[in-house]
Amino acid sequence: MEVDADWDFHSAGEDSPADLRALYVAACQRSRRAAAGHPSLSDRAAKPSFGGGPVSLRWIFVHMIEETAQHRGHLDLLRDALD
């Protein structure tokens, strides 16, 4: 089986903005359900992640906030370029 190293750059090329939003909302709902099952932000993932040891729910939340902020910054730059 051939692996497409650039899959993430073109996998959604035919998806509409509404399709992409629906996928995002569904992913957020799954994440919220998974997080709700853990009473403490110190709870650790069952498997090692990101090349290291098990990460805490707190680390995951902080990482997602950082990633969202970074991508939001990219969107701002793109919007400025289009204006």
Side-chain angles (χ1 to χ4, degrees):
M1 176 173 17
E2 192 173 324
V3 176
D4 182 355
D6 293 327
W7 174 85
D8 51 343
F9 286 103
H10 58 78
S11 63
E14 301 298 319
D15 293 347
S16 71
D19 292 336
L20 295 173
R21 183 179 189 288
L23 289 169
Y24 178 77
V25 169
C28 289
Q29 289 171 340
R30 286 191 307 273
S31 296
R32 287 183 184 109
R33 282 194 302 272
H38 297 277
S40 172
L41 291 175
S42 296
D43 284 355
R44 300 228 175 243
K47 296 181 181 180
S49 301
F50 300 95
V55 296
S56 69
L57 184 58
R58 177 180 289 105
W59 185 91
I60 293 169
F61 281 157
V62 169
H63 180 73
M64 293 308 300
I65 291 166
E66 290 171 340
E67 285 291 316
T68 301
Q70 181 181 15
H71 291 290
R72 173 59 198 266
H74 294 160
L75 180 60
D76 286 345
L77 290 172
L78 289 170
R79 290 187 67 176
D80 286 347
L82 293 172
D83 289 342

Short mmCIF file of all heavy atoms in Angstrom, two decimals, residues 35-45 55-62:
data_model
loop_
_atom_site.label_atom_id
_atom_site.label_comp_id
_atom_site.label_asym_id
_atom_site.label_seq_id
_atom_site.Cartn_x
_atom_site.Cartn_y
_atom_site.Cartn_z
N ALA A 35 -13.08 13.89 27.46
CA ALA A 35 -12.56 14.66 28.59
C ALA A 35 -13.50 14.60 29.79
O ALA A 35 -13.05 14.58 30.94
CB ALA A 35 -12.32 16.11 28.18
N ALA A 36 -14.80 14.56 29.53
CA ALA A 36 -15.78 14.52 30.62
C ALA A 36 -15.65 13.27 31.47
O ALA A 36 -16.06 13.25 32.63
CB ALA A 36 -17.20 14.64 30.06
N GLY A 37 -15.06 12.23 30.92
CA GLY A 37 -14.88 10.98 31.66
C GLY A 37 -13.72 11.02 32.63
O GLY A 37 -13.44 10.01 33.28
N HIS A 38 -13.04 12.15 32.74
CA HIS A 38 -11.88 12.26 33.63
C HIS A 38 -12.11 13.40 34.61
O HIS A 38 -12.18 14.56 34.22
CB HIS A 38 -10.62 12.52 32.80
CG HIS A 38 -10.32 11.38 31.89
ND1 HIS A 38 -9.64 10.27 32.30
CD2 HIS A 38 -10.64 11.18 30.59
CE1 HIS A 38 -9.54 9.43 31.29
NE2 HIS A 38 -10.16 9.95 30.25
N PRO A 39 -12.22 13.08 35.90
CA PRO A 39 -12.54 14.10 36.90
C PRO A 39 -11.39 15.06 37.22
O PRO A 39 -11.61 16.12 37.77
CB PRO A 39 -12.92 13.28 38.13
CG PRO A 39 -12.20 11.99 37.96
CD PRO A 39 -12.14 11.74 36.49
N SER A 40 -10.17 14.69 36.84
CA SER A 40 -9.02 15.51 37.21
C SER A 40 -8.19 15.88 35.98
O SER A 40 -7.96 15.03 35.11
CB SER A 40 -8.13 14.75 38.19
OG SER A 40 -6.92 15.45 38.40
N LEU A 41 -7.73 17.12 35.94
CA LEU A 41 -6.84 17.54 34.87
C LEU A 41 -5.48 16.86 34.96
O LEU A 41 -4.70 16.90 34.02
CB LEU A 41 -6.66 19.06 34.89
CG LEU A 41 -7.89 19.89 34.52
CD1 LEU A 41 -7.59 21.38 34.71
CD2 LEU A 41 -8.32 19.60 33.10
N SER A 42 -5.22 16.23 36.08
CA SER A 42 -3.95 15.52 36.26
C SER A 42 -4.02 14.09 35.74
O SER A 42 -2.99 13.40 35.70
CB SER A 42 -3.55 15.50 37.74
OG SER A 42 -3.32 16.83 38.19
N ASP A 43 -5.20 13.62 35.35
CA ASP A 43 -5.33 12.27 34.79
C ASP A 43 -4.42 12.15 33.59
O ASP A 43 -4.28 13.07 32.79
CB ASP A 43 -6.77 11.98 34.37
CG ASP A 43 -7.67 11.69 35.56
OD1 ASP A 43 -7.17 11.62 36.69
OD2 ASP A 43 -8.88 11.51 35.33
N ARG A 44 -3.78 10.99 33.45
CA ARG A 44 -2.82 10.77 32.38
C ARG A 44 -3.42 9.89 31.29
O ARG A 44 -4.26 9.03 31.54
CB ARG A 44 -1.57 10.11 32.93
CG ARG A 44 -0.90 10.96 33.98
CD ARG A 44 0.56 11.04 33.70
NE ARG A 44 1.21 11.95 34.61
CZ ARG A 44 1.81 13.06 34.21
NH1 ARG A 44 1.84 13.38 32.95
NH2 ARG A 44 2.39 13.84 35.08
N ALA A 45 -2.96 10.12 30.06
CA ALA A 45 -3.38 9.30 28.93
C ALA A 45 -2.90 7.87 29.12
O ALA A 45 -1.85 7.63 29.74
CB ALA A 45 -2.82 9.88 27.64
N VAL A 55 0.83 11.84 28.73
CA VAL A 55 0.54 13.26 28.97
C VAL A 55 -0.73 13.38 29.81
O VAL A 55 -1.58 12.51 29.80
CB VAL A 55 0.40 14.04 27.65
CG1 VAL A 55 1.72 14.04 26.89
CG2 VAL A 55 -0.71 13.48 26.79
N SER A 56 -0.84 14.49 30.52
CA SER A 56 -2.02 14.73 31.35
C SER A 56 -3.11 15.40 30.53
O SER A 56 -2.86 15.98 29.46
CB SER A 56 -1.66 15.62 32.55
OG SER A 56 -1.36 16.93 32.10
N LEU A 57 -4.33 15.34 31.04
CA LEU A 57 -5.44 16.03 30.41
C LEU A 57 -5.16 17.53 30.37
O LEU A 57 -5.45 18.20 29.38
CB LEU A 57 -6.75 15.74 31.15
CG LEU A 57 -8.02 16.32 30.56
CD1 LEU A 57 -8.22 15.84 29.12
CD2 LEU A 57 -9.22 15.94 31.42
N ARG A 58 -4.53 18.06 31.40
CA ARG A 58 -4.15 19.48 31.44
C ARG A 58 -3.22 19.79 30.26
O ARG A 58 -3.40 20.79 29.57
CB ARG A 58 -3.46 19.81 32.76
CG ARG A 58 -2.97 21.24 32.86
CD ARG A 58 -2.29 21.54 34.20
NE ARG A 58 -3.28 21.59 35.26
CZ ARG A 58 -3.47 20.62 36.18
NH1 ARG A 58 -2.72 19.54 36.19
NH2 ARG A 58 -4.40 20.75 37.10
N TRP A 59 -2.20 18.94 30.04
CA TRP A 59 -1.26 19.17 28.94
C TRP A 59 -2.00 19.16 27.61
O TRP A 59 -1.74 20.00 26.74
CB TRP A 59 -0.17 18.09 28.95
CG TRP A 59 0.88 18.33 27.92
CD1 TRP A 59 2.04 19.02 28.09
CD2 TRP A 59 0.85 17.93 26.55
NE1 TRP A 59 2.74 19.07 26.91
CE2 TRP A 59 2.02 18.39 25.95
CE3 TRP A 59 -0.06 17.22 25.78
CZ2 TRP A 59 2.31 18.18 24.61
CZ3 TRP A 59 0.22 17.01 24.44
CH2 TRP A 59 1.41 17.48 23.88
N ILE A 60 -2.94 18.24 27.45
CA ILE A 60 -3.71 18.15 26.20
C ILE A 60 -4.50 19.43 25.98
O ILE A 60 -4.50 20.00 24.89
CB ILE A 60 -4.63 16.92 26.20
CG1 ILE A 60 -3.79 15.64 26.17
CG2 ILE A 60 -5.61 16.96 25.04
CD1 ILE A 60 -4.57 14.36 26.43
N PHE A 61 -5.17 19.93 27.03
CA PHE A 61 -5.95 21.17 26.89
C PHE A 61 -5.05 22.35 26.52
O PHE A 61 -5.37 23.13 25.62
CB PHE A 61 -6.71 21.48 28.18
CG PHE A 61 -7.97 20.69 28.37
CD1 PHE A 61 -8.49 20.50 29.63
CD2 PHE A 61 -8.66 20.14 27.31
CE1 PHE A 61 -9.66 19.80 29.83
CE2 PHE A 61 -9.83 19.43 27.49
CZ PHE A 61 -10.34 19.25 28.75
N VAL A 62 -3.92 22.48 27.20
CA VAL A 62 -3.01 23.60 26.91
C VAL A 62 -2.48 23.48 25.48
O VAL A 62 -2.43 24.47 24.74
CB VAL A 62 -1.85 23.66 27.93
CG1 VAL A 62 -0.77 24.63 27.50
CG2 VAL A 62 -2.39 24.03 29.31
#
